[in-house]
Amino acid sequence: VPDFLTDVLRYYRPGVRMQPLDKGVPAKARHVFLLASFEDIGTHRSETQAAMKKMRRKYKLVGRHRYPQIDVWVFQKRGAKR
């Protein structure tokens, strides 16, 4: 989660587990929401693309949402039911 979005997400979705992707995805996670922002800035786009590649190894993309300056991808663990 981008640092500046943490407070916003905690306000609107208290109790949702959030962590940077570089800390790994919890083994029991069936659904993962990948958030990216300001992808027009230097490394943000390449970091997002690397995260997408990493997620697609064990998860399939099942949804995408776009908001001003924020993209959200929804992944589901392969073999898990919706």
Side-chain angles (χ1 to χ4, degrees):
V1 175
D3 291 337
F4 62 90
L5 287 178
T6 301
D7 291 335
V8 174
L9 291 171
R10 284 193 178 126
Y11 178 81
Y12 287 105
R13 296 299 299 176
V16 170
R17 186 173 179 181
M18 297 175 278
Q19 65 187 41
L21 189 59
D22 62 357
K23 291 188 177 183
V25 176
K28 294 181 180 182
R30 292 177 43 183
H31 295 91
V32 176
F33 295 83
L34 176 64
L35 278 70
S37 61
F38 297 98
E39 293 180 81
D40 55 335
I41 297 174
T43 61
H44 291 208
R45 180 175 290 285
S46 61
E47 289 172 355
T48 299
Q49 290 171 344
M52 295 283 290
K53 184 176 180 180
K54 184 175 183 177
M55 290 300 302
R56 286 189 167 134
R57 292 180 190 147
K58 294 184 179 180
Y59 294 82
K60 66 179 178 177
L61 182 64
V62 295
R64 183 173 184 186
H65 307 279
R66 290 183 139 170
Y67 305 96
Q69 295 295 334
I70 299 173
D71 287 320
V72 180
W73 292 269
V74 183
F75 289 91
Q76 178 179 317
K77 194 166 204 168
R78 295 189 184 279
K81 294 182 180 181
R82 282 189 163 187

